[in-house]
Structure formats: structure tokens, C-alpha cells
Amino acid sequence: MMEEDDLQQMTAMARQASFVTRDLSSCAPVHSGKRRSSEVVRGYEKVPRKMARTEEKEVIHLLPIKDKSGVIPQSVERVIEKQPDDEEEEEEEAADGQEELENEEELASSVALTAEEREKLRVEKIRERKLHIAGLGSAIVSDPYSNVKRLKELRGMLMEADPCVAVTVRKLVMVSLMEIFKDISPTYRIRPLTPEEKATKVKKETQQLREFEEGLVSQYKFYLEDLEQTIKDWKQKKKKRSQAVGFQSYRGLAEVAVRCLCELLLALPHFNFHNNIIVVLVPLMNDSCKQVSNMCCDAIRKLFQQDRMGGASLAVVRVISGLVKNLNFNVRPEVLRTLLSLRIKEVEMKKDLEDTAPKKKFMNNKEKKKNLSRMQRKWKKAEEKLEKELLEAEASESNEKKIKVHTETLNIVFLIFFRILKKAQKSSLLPAVLEGLAKFAHLINLEFFDDLLNVLQNLIQSGDLTNRESLHCIQTVFTILSGQGDVLNMDPLTFYSQLYRMLPQLHSGAPNDDIIIVLQCLDAMLIRRKKQVTLQRAMAFIKRLSMLSLHVLPNASVGVLAANRAILHAFPKCDFLLDTEVQGSGFYLPELDEPEHCNAQNTALWELHTLQRHFHPVVRRLAAHLSQGAPSEGSAALSVDLSRRSPSELFNVYRVKDMTFNPPVAPPASKKKDRFVGGAMLLDAELQRRAERALSNNEEAELDFNPPNTHLLKV
């Protein structure tokens, strides 16, 4: 309780205007000297306009009145009325409560039904929803300009609240909206209108088109947000307030949402929000769910294959680079293997040809006046104008832009590869990196060759790589040396020795697919670089490849023998390996892993004699062809279908699939002898007629085989 003196003091202060208008933040006493009018006004402005509201009345402050005594505040009291926002909130709460009551009533009624009746009710509800979805979809597709607003109604069905059919209906709506957007979306990107364009009066058709584009973009954006939110709810394991969809069903909804995003990524690469789809899908490539990860990787791979200009590929590669860096290289190898589908090789080669090709040079004005007459200058001007128009028609600018985009994409790809080689050499990403380097090695800048060759050599000598990884290192090195690296004056003898050492480790088991990498390496090491390869090295490889062909699968034997044929054609002096009487100094050392010092010239290709009895017909044919010196003409020459194909192509053509023979084995010939069966016929025509006549007569009769003039018939 307050004292009576204190209460009187507070009452007296409240009656004074200075108590209300005083600046409470000031430290000056209440009864100070005379203030200036400006200070009084400034102090009044610092006081809040609104006082605390009471439950029944509200005080509204009006403009104050200023007189000689000072500023007199003015206020009016008004009865409080409820705001419309509060009413709307109450209505929404009431509506939500009513929906909850209806859902509870439906659940209560469904509990009273039997299992068969509940299933019938569910089927009937799904049928009704399907008809409704089909009706909305047909109306939108038939006339999208007039019915674009129905997309909102269809999208509202993504919030289906009936727990019996919520999952099925949401999946149907997702797929239906995806197909509708694929069908009605234009083939260009829709940009927002500027204020000047909105203020300009346009035709009725143009206004209708603008409204359609605006509604389409907004609904497409909301649809993508719904799909993204569905995926986030599944990944973050959120439980919604509404119990219409259980958490176990969210995985199925998320998979459908991912599939819809993948379809839109491939079908609408030119439309709005394409980069947003990429940002959502690329992290899902590294998802723990294998089905979702494979779905996203396949979509990105197809996008790379069908992207001609390179804009979408550049956006994807940028996001992949950021993902690999942010996760500290803890990503799946399949994420990097998708980069192998980039379409960059052909464009870069075309760029090199365009740079070296002579460009068209036009005459300047000084040269025209000096060399041409007035009429000739006039015709020359028209001719140059026409040529410029033709150059524009050929889209030379778009080609330059495409080359620039592909170059930037390739730089980011090599940045990813080099970053992994430098910081994560022992990660599971190394095989994918080496495979990517082997494919794009011919496009690497020349200044990086020395460092890259040193890194690859250290990796091989470390002994931590598998056979396949080592083969990719060797393939990368010789791809570089066969392209721009041919200017480097070096002999990669260690890589030859490494491949020569690895050949006996290959067999017909699971690593049989490594043979195709070996064939590609042999083509780059011996065929393309035949001027830098010694005869001793070539003979050693021919001998070891002949030994390898004995214990691999038939298609691998075909490829290895075809590679031996190519080496024999590149080094004709190796044919004395087919002669058993030629002997040099020393003995052949098959266990030595140095091709230069194994004395391969002192041996012969005895393996060809065994391969001529192989069960595979193509292996037998190639072995017989090589044993006779691999002639290009004559009876021992190969057929066109074998001679014109590379070893890698033959390896793929005769690949064994599903444990079947390729080519199929011919059925065995029949051992029965051909016999002539004439049937019941006699050589004498007269005797045949008499026999038929006798057989047709039912009465028993004796036949007389005497000449016709003495014919007697006894009965």
C-alpha cells in the first residue's frame, strides 16, 4: 500500500502538463528555467503517440494545442472493436476445427466398417479423385490460355487430407502436373515485365498471352516448391501436423517427386527455374538411397548427352564442384563418372580446326579506292554485305559462344580432378578421376603435362593402385603423348615396363573387361608411336600378348590377336617370330619384366599352333591368319568384316553375354544316308495297269502273265 503523502504527490504531478510532456531520457529537473518553444515541441515529439490499451476503451491522441502556458495534449477515447485479421484468424481456426471434426467423424465411421467395405470405399474415393484430376487436366491442355487458373485448383490437391487416399492422390497429382507443364510450357524462357511494359497499352491477344505466361510461371514455381518441400520433409524426417500421410509413406512421395524433377530437367532445359532444379537434384546424386541416387545420376547423364550448347552442362558441373568441395571429397564415385558423358571432345577439336583455318579478309576503304573503280566499289560493298549476312546465318557467333562455354566447363572438370589427385589420392574417387583424365587428357593445357606425368608415375610406383587404376594411369599418359604432348621429348619406358608387367595378371575372370583398356593402351603405345618404339620392345609385346590370348575369354582372345596383327603390320620385321629356325644370341627369358632385355627374338609364336584348335571359329581364323604372316591378300587373308574393324570393336562385337556362344554354334549335320524311295510303282507300265485292274476287282481271279494273244482267264 502507498502512503497518503506519496499518493498526494503523484496526484499533483499528474495534474501538471510538464509531467506528460517531459523528456524522460533527460536528467534535468522538472522545474528548470524557461525553455524555448522549439525545445518544448521537440520534447513532445519524443513521447509515444499511443498509450497502453485497455480491454474496453482505446485512447486516440490528437494534434496538441499550443498556448502561452505551453503544449496542451488532446485525446479521444473510443470503444475497442475487433480487427478483421482477428476475425479471419478465428474463421480459419473454426474451419480447421470443422475439418478436423469431419475427419474424425470419417475415421470413426470407417472404423465401424469391415475391411472389405473400407477397401471398396477407398477404391470409390480414388476413382472420384482420378476423374476430377482427369477433368482438370483435359481442360487445361485443351485451352491453356483460358484455363491456366485451374492449375491452382489441381495443385491444391497436393494437400489431400483424407488419410485413406492421401498418398495415392498426391502421387497422381504430381505426375499429372508434370505432364501438363511439359505439354503447355513454351519453348522459350519467360522474363518478368518491366514497369514501362506493364503501363503500355497492348492488344487483347497480347494481354491474354501475358496473363497466361504470368500464371504459368507462378504456378510452375509453386509446384517446384511443393516437390522440393516433399523431398526435404523426407530427408529431415519431419512429422507434419496433419496425420493424413504417415512418415513411412514419405519415401514413396519423395521418390515420385524426384522422378518428376528429373523429367522436368530433361524436358524443359530452356524454361524458367532450370538452375533451381539442378541445385535440388545434384546433392541427391550422393544420397544414401540407391534408387534415388541412380535416378538422379541417370538424369544428369542424359542431360549431358543431349545438351548441345553447353549452358546446362556448365551449371551442373559448377554445382558438382561445390558439392565435392563442401563434402570434403566424401561423395560416391558415380557422381564423378557422370562427367564422362560430357560432349566436349568434338567441339574442342572443331575449335582447333577453326583457329587454324584462314579467315575471310575484307578490303578497307583505302584499298578499294586504289584498286577499284566507282562501280566496282559499289558492287564490292554489296558483295561484302551479303557475305556478312551469310556468316551470321551460319551462326558463327553461337559457335564461338558454345566453344567458350565448353572451355569453362572443362576447366572446372579438371579443377575437380586435380584437386582430388592433390588432396585425396587414397579415396574411392581415384578410379573415376583416372578414367576421366584418360578420356579428356588430350584437351589438357600443355603447361600441366609435366606435373601430371610426375603425379601419375608416383601413383603407379606406390603400388597402392589396382590393375584397372594402373591401366587408366597408363592410358592417360599415352593419350597426352599422342596428342599435344608429342612435342615433349621423352621416352616413357617405365610405363611400357608397367604394362608389360601387368599383362600376365589378366585372366578370364571378373577383370576381363580390363582387356579393352589394354587394347586402347597398345594402340596409343605401339601403333601411334611406332617411330619411337624399338623392334625388341615390339617383339616382346607380341610374344606376351600371344601367351595372354591362351587364358582369356574368346572375345578377349579375338581382340588380342587383332592387336598382334596390327603390331605385325606396323613392324614388318617381327615376322621372323613365325620362323622356328631363326635363332639369335642368348635365350628368351619369359619371366623378365623388362621388354627390352628379355631376348624375345630368340623365341617363336608357338601359341598360334594351339589357338588353331580353339573352339571359337573367329579365334581359329585369326590364329591361322597370323601363322601365315598376316597377309592382306590371298587365300589366307581375312574377310572384310574382320580386317576393317579395330581390336576394341572386335572385342565388343564378340562379347559373351548371358553365357551364350557368339557367333552361335551351328547344329550338327544329320548322319542318315539319303535313300531313293519310289513308292508302290512298277517299271513296266502295262504290268502296272494289269496289277491295278486286278486289285480293283473284288472277285478272286488268277492272273495270266502270258502274252495278250494267249490270254485266258479262269474262274
Side-chain angles (χ1 to χ4, degrees):
M1 298 295 292
M2 295 182 63
E3 298 291 339
E4 293 183 0
D5 297 339
D6 296 337
L7 183 60
Q8 292 177 359
Q9 179 68 21
M10 293 295 295
T11 304
M13 292 174 63
R15 291 175 180 175
Q16 297 178 5
S18 61
F19 178 77
V20 179
T21 60
R22 183 190 175 202
D23 186 1
L24 300 180
S25 62
S26 176
C27 298
V30 177
H31 302 286
S32 59
K34 186 177 179 181
R35 297 181 180 180
R36 298 178 181 178
S37 59
S38 59
E39 292 180 356
V40 175
V41 174
R42 190 182 303 113
Y44 180 80
E45 289 293 337
K46 292 183 179 181
V47 178
R49 293 293 187 273
K50 293 184 179 180
M51 303 296 289
R53 295 182 182 179
T54 60
E55 294 182 359
E56 298 180 354
K57 296 182 180 181
E58 179 184 4
V59 178
I60 301 176
H61 292 272
L62 303 178
L63 292 175
I65 299 174
K66 183 179 178 182
D67 56 2
K68 295 180 180 180
S69 61
V71 178
I72 302 175
Q74 302 291 324
S75 62
V76 176
E77 293 183 354
R78 189 180 66 179
V79 179
I80 297 176
E81 297 180 357
K82 290 186 177 181
Q83 299 295 329
D85 294 340
D86 299 338
E87 296 178 358
E88 290 179 0
E89 291 178 359
E90 291 181 358
E91 291 178 359
E92 290 178 358
E93 292 177 358
D96 293 340
Q98 187 175 0
E99 289 180 359
E100 292 178 358
L101 291 175
E102 291 178 357
N103 293 334
E104 291 177 358
E105 292 176 359
E106 290 181 359
L107 289 174
S109 60
S110 62
V111 170
L113 300 176
T114 61
E116 184 177 358
E117 292 175 347
R118 285 198 299 269
E119 184 63 25
K120 287 183 179 179
L121 180 62
R122 178 178 177 275
V123 171
E124 182 64 24
K125 289 181 179 179
I126 291 176
R127 190 182 68 83
E128 292 177 358
R129 304 295 197 281
K130 284 183 178 180
L131 292 176
H132 188 48
I133 294 171
L136 291 175
S138 300
I140 296 170
V141 173
S142 60
D143 190 5
Y145 290 93
S146 302
N147 299 322
V148 69
K149 294 182 179 180
R150 295 197 176 186
L151 285 171
K152 183 177 181 181
E153 182 180 356
L154 183 58
R155 191 175 56 82
M157 297 183 70
L158 288 173
M159 300 294 108
E160 177 65 39
D162 192 348
C164 298
V165 296
V167 178
T168 304
V169 171
R170 292 185 183 186
K171 290 180 179 180
L172 292 174
V173 174
M174 286 181 187
V175 178
S176 301
L177 282 171
M178 175 196 69
E179 295 295 337
I180 290 173
F181 283 120
K182 287 168 58 177
D183 192 33
I184 67 175
S185 297
T187 58
Y188 54 87
R189 184 183 298 271
I190 299 174
R191 64 173 180 82
L193 298 176
T194 61
E196 293 78 9
E197 291 175 342
K198 292 181 179 179
T200 305
K201 293 184 179 180
V202 294
K203 296 181 181 179
K204 183 178 180 181
E205 294 80 5
T206 307
Q207 183 64 27
Q208 185 180 12
L209 177 62
R210 287 182 176 181
E211 293 176 356
F212 165 73
E213 291 178 348
E214 185 179 358
L216 177 64
V217 170
S218 63
Q219 294 302 320
Y220 186 59
K221 176 184 176 182
F222 293 144
Y223 171 64
L224 294 179
E225 289 176 351
D226 292 338
L227 296 180
E228 182 181 4
Q229 189 62 41
T230 302
I231 298 172
K232 284 184 178 180
D233 292 342
W234 170 60
K235 294 299 295 180
Q236 298 175 1
K237 298 182 180 181
K238 285 185 177 180
K239 192 172 183 181
K240 293 291 186 180
R241 183 186 67 177
S242 174
Q243 301 296 329
V245 179
F247 175 72
Q248 296 179 353
S249 302
Y250 261 97
R251 177 174 177 176
L253 287 174
E255 290 178 357
V256 176
V258 171
R259 187 167 70 86
C260 293
L261 288 174
C262 292
E263 291 288 336
L264 294 173
L265 179 74
L266 298 174
L268 303 175
H270 56 278
F271 198 56
N272 299 54
F273 309 112
H274 190 258
N275 291 339
N276 302 73
I277 300 177
I278 292 174
V279 172
V280 175
L281 289 182
V282 168
L284 295 176
M285 296 168 63
N286 193 43
D287 193 78
S288 57
C289 180
K290 192 173 182 180
Q291 185 175 359
V292 173
S293 176
N294 293 339
M295 200 184 306
C296 296
C297 290
D298 292 341
I300 297 298
R301 194 177 296 110
K302 291 178 181 178
L303 179 66
F304 285 156
Q305 293 172 355
Q306 72 182 23
D307 186 20
R308 295 184 178 180
M309 297 304 298
S313 300
L314 177 59
V316 174
V317 170
R318 283 175 175 169
V319 180
I320 291 177
S321 176
L323 178 69
V324 174
K325 184 178 180 181
N326 294 334
L327 295 181
N328 198 16
F329 313 109
N330 188 20
V331 297
R332 300 179 61 192
E334 287 76 9
V335 177
L336 294 185
R337 287 198 174 95
T338 56
L339 300 176
L340 300 177
S341 301
L342 287 168
R343 299 178 57 180
I344 298 180
K345 183 177 180 180
E346 297 179 355
V347 175
E348 290 293 334
M349 292 176 63
K350 184 177 180 182
K351 177 189 175 184
D352 295 337
L353 293 176
E354 289 176 355
D355 289 342
T356 58
K359 296 183 179 180
K360 181 69 176 177
K361 183 179 179 182
F362 296 103
M363 299 176 65
N364 54 25
N365 294 330
K366 186 176 181 180
E367 292 177 350
K368 290 179 182 178
K369 291 180 179 180
K370 183 177 179 181
N371 301 325
L372 302 177
S373 63
R374 183 176 181 182
M375 185 60 67
Q376 288 176 342
R377 289 198 299 269
K378 184 177 180 181
W379 284 103
K380 190 68 176 178
K381 184 177 180 180
E383 183 182 355
E384 290 180 356
K385 182 179 179 181
L386 179 60
E387 289 181 358
K388 289 181 180 179
E389 292 178 356
L390 291 176
L391 289 175
E392 292 177 358
E394 291 176 359
S396 59
E397 293 183 1
S398 62
N399 289 335
E400 294 177 359
K401 182 179 179 181
K402 179 171 63 175
I403 291 171
K404 186 182 296 184
V405 170
H406 283 180
T407 304
E408 186 177 355
T409 304
L410 195 63
N411 291 337
I412 299 175
V413 171
F414 284 141
L415 177 63
I416 298 172
F417 291 164
F418 294 157
R419 191 180 292 161
I420 294 174
L421 285 177
K422 183 179 179 181
K423 299 182 180 180
Q425 292 185 359
K426 295 185 179 181
S427 68
S428 60
L429 301 178
L430 187 60
V433 170
L434 296 175
E435 191 173 353
L437 286 174
K439 180 173 182 180
F440 301 114
H442 61 287
L443 303 175
I444 301 177
N445 197 349
L446 191 63
E447 59 187 13
F448 299 118
F449 283 175
D450 291 336
D451 296 336
L452 183 59
L453 292 178
N454 293 332
V455 170
L456 295 177
Q457 187 172 358
N458 294 333
L459 284 174
I460 292 177
Q461 293 177 354
S462 65
D464 298 332
L465 303 182
T466 62
N467 287 342
R468 191 175 184 87
E469 295 171 1
S470 300
L471 287 173
H472 280 308
C473 286
I474 297 172
Q475 185 182 9
T476 303
V477 171
F478 285 97
T479 304
I480 293 174
L481 296 178
S482 299
Q484 303 178 41
D486 56 355
V487 299
L488 299 177
N489 188 13
M490 60 174 297
D491 184 15
L493 181 60
T494 56
F495 297 103
Y496 281 99
S497 302
Q498 180 66 26
L499 180 62
Y500 187 78
R501 189 181 303 114
M502 291 175 56
L503 289 179
Q505 301 176 14
L506 304 177
H507 52 83
S508 60
N512 186 65
D513 292 337
D514 297 344
I515 297 292
I516 191 168
I517 307 177
V518 173
L519 297 177
Q520 295 171 357
C521 291
L522 291 172
D523 180 64
M525 296 167 65
L526 299 176
I527 308 302
R528 299 182 186 178
R529 293 175 54 86
K530 60 182 180 180
K531 294 182 179 180
Q532 290 87 4
V533 178
T534 62
L535 184 61
Q536 297 290 335
R537 196 181 302 175
M539 287 190 294
F541 271 97
I542 290 177
K543 178 61 180 178
R544 185 153 285 193
L545 288 173
S546 300
M547 296 168 58
L548 175 64
S549 61
L550 292 173
H551 54 271
V552 291
L553 291 180
N555 62 324
S557 296
V558 171
V560 170
L561 292 176
N564 268 351
R565 176 178 179 270
I567 298 173
L568 280 174
H569 287 173
F571 300 90
K573 292 184 178 180
C574 292
D575 60 352
F576 63 80
L577 288 174
L578 304 173
D579 190 356
T580 58
E581 296 181 358
V582 177
Q583 294 291 334
S585 60
F587 297 95
Y588 174 59
L589 303 175
E591 72 281 358
L592 189 64
D593 292 332
E594 292 295 333
E596 296 285 350
H597 308 292
C598 64
N599 298 327
Q601 72 277 3
N602 296 326
T603 184
L605 301 180
W606 304 103
E607 296 81 9
L608 297 179
H609 181 69
T610 304
L611 291 172
Q612 290 183 33
R613 297 192 299 272
H614 199 277
F615 73 91
H616 200 277
V618 181
V619 176
R620 293 198 303 267
R621 196 179 311 164
L622 284 170
H625 172 71
L626 290 175
S627 62
Q628 298 186 23
S632 301
E633 298 178 354
S635 59
L638 292 178
S639 58
V640 177
D641 58 337
L642 293 177
S643 61
R644 292 187 177 180
R645 287 178 175 171
S646 65
S648 301
E649 292 176 349
L650 291 173
F651 177 86
N652 293 322
V653 167
Y654 295 102
R655 184 186 293 272
V656 180
K657 296 180 180 179
D658 302 328
M659 299 305 294
T660 57
F661 291 102
N662 185 15
V665 179
S670 177
K671 296 182 179 180
K672 294 183 179 180
K673 296 182 179 180
D674 295 335
R675 297 180 180 179
F676 175 76
V677 181
M681 297 291 292
L682 298 175
L683 297 178
D684 191 354
E686 181 64 24
L687 185 59
Q688 178 67 25
R689 285 195 299 270
R690 294 177 67 181
E692 291 175 357
R693 191 184 308 115
L695 292 174
S696 62
N697 191 2
N698 294 331
E699 298 179 357
E700 295 181 359
E702 295 182 2
L703 297 178
D704 185 9
F705 295 96
N706 293 325
N709 53 0
T710 59
H711 176 264
L712 294 174
L713 180 61
K714 295 181 181 181
V715 180

